Amino acid sequence: MSTQPVTVRVTRKFSQSPERVFDAFLHAGTARRFLFATEHGEMVRAELVPLVGGVFIFTDRRAGEDVDHCGQYLVIERPHRLVFDFGVPAHDPLRAEVAIAIEADGAGCVLTLTQAMPAKFAEYAERTQHGWTMILGNLAKALS
């Protein structure tokens, strides 16, 4: 069994400006509509302190169970780079690190999300990639 972190990468083009896409991650009212939200869940809590070292918690109620996603902002370089860690404490104390890079592309932008996960989660890489693809799709809907 490898001890190397597993990397998942998802890229998506947006018609909105880099600033608008970036800001969506740091505004609780917008982020609650896409970040860690699921199709069959209900986002019951979205709190964040959008500063380096600031924390966030998103609670999605799924089939009557509250699932907390907790993390901390590590890098905030508006509008091009956001790095945070997050975990789901009810399932595991380990946290994954997510880096978001946003580049201008004409009137819109291209967002590349990279998640580094502990090696013990390697079997979840495909599911994680699918999850982030869904989340970025929901971000596009939230911004339209």
Side-chain angles (χ1 to χ4, degrees):
M1 177 183 195
S2 174
T3 59
Q4 293 297 316
V6 176
T7 301
V8 172
R9 184 169 286 112
V10 178
T11 300
R12 182 171 179 119
K13 184 174 170 97
F14 290 88
S15 59
Q16 293 81 14
S17 70
E19 292 81 6
R20 185 150 181 236
V21 173
F22 185 92
D23 291 348
F25 283 90
L26 299 178
H27 183 269
T30 305
R32 76 178 305 121
R33 296 171 52 201
F34 73 92
L35 196 55
F36 308 116
T38 59
E39 181 180 340
H40 301 292
E42 174 192 2
M43 189 61 65
V44 296
R45 181 178 182 191
E47 298 176 10
L48 55 87
V49 178
L51 305 167
V52 172
V55 297
F56 62 79
I57 182 167
F58 291 86
T59 304
D60 191 37
R61 186 165 290 149
R62 303 171 184 175
E65 178 186 357
D66 287 354
V67 179
D68 292 332
H69 293 78
C70 305
Q72 182 173 29
Y73 298 107
L74 306 173
V75 176
I76 299 175
E77 297 173 358
R78 182 181 189 267
H80 300 293
R81 187 164 177 248
L82 176 66
V83 180
F84 57 87
D85 68 13
F86 85 95
V88 182
H91 297 281
D92 197 287
L94 293 178
R95 291 186 173 198
E97 185 172 290
V98 174
I100 295 171
I102 301 173
E103 295 183 25
D105 183 42
C109 64
V110 174
L111 182 153
T112 301
L113 182 148
T114 306
Q115 178 176 335
M117 305 185 311
K120 77 178 209 171
F121 296 118
E123 67 186 273
Y124 296 104
E126 186 175 324
R127 187 169 139 187
T128 299
Q129 184 170 22
H130 175 75
W132 283 118
T133 300
M134 177 199 68
I135 285 170
L136 295 182
N138 289 340
L139 169 58
K141 291 176 193 171
L143 293 174
S144 62

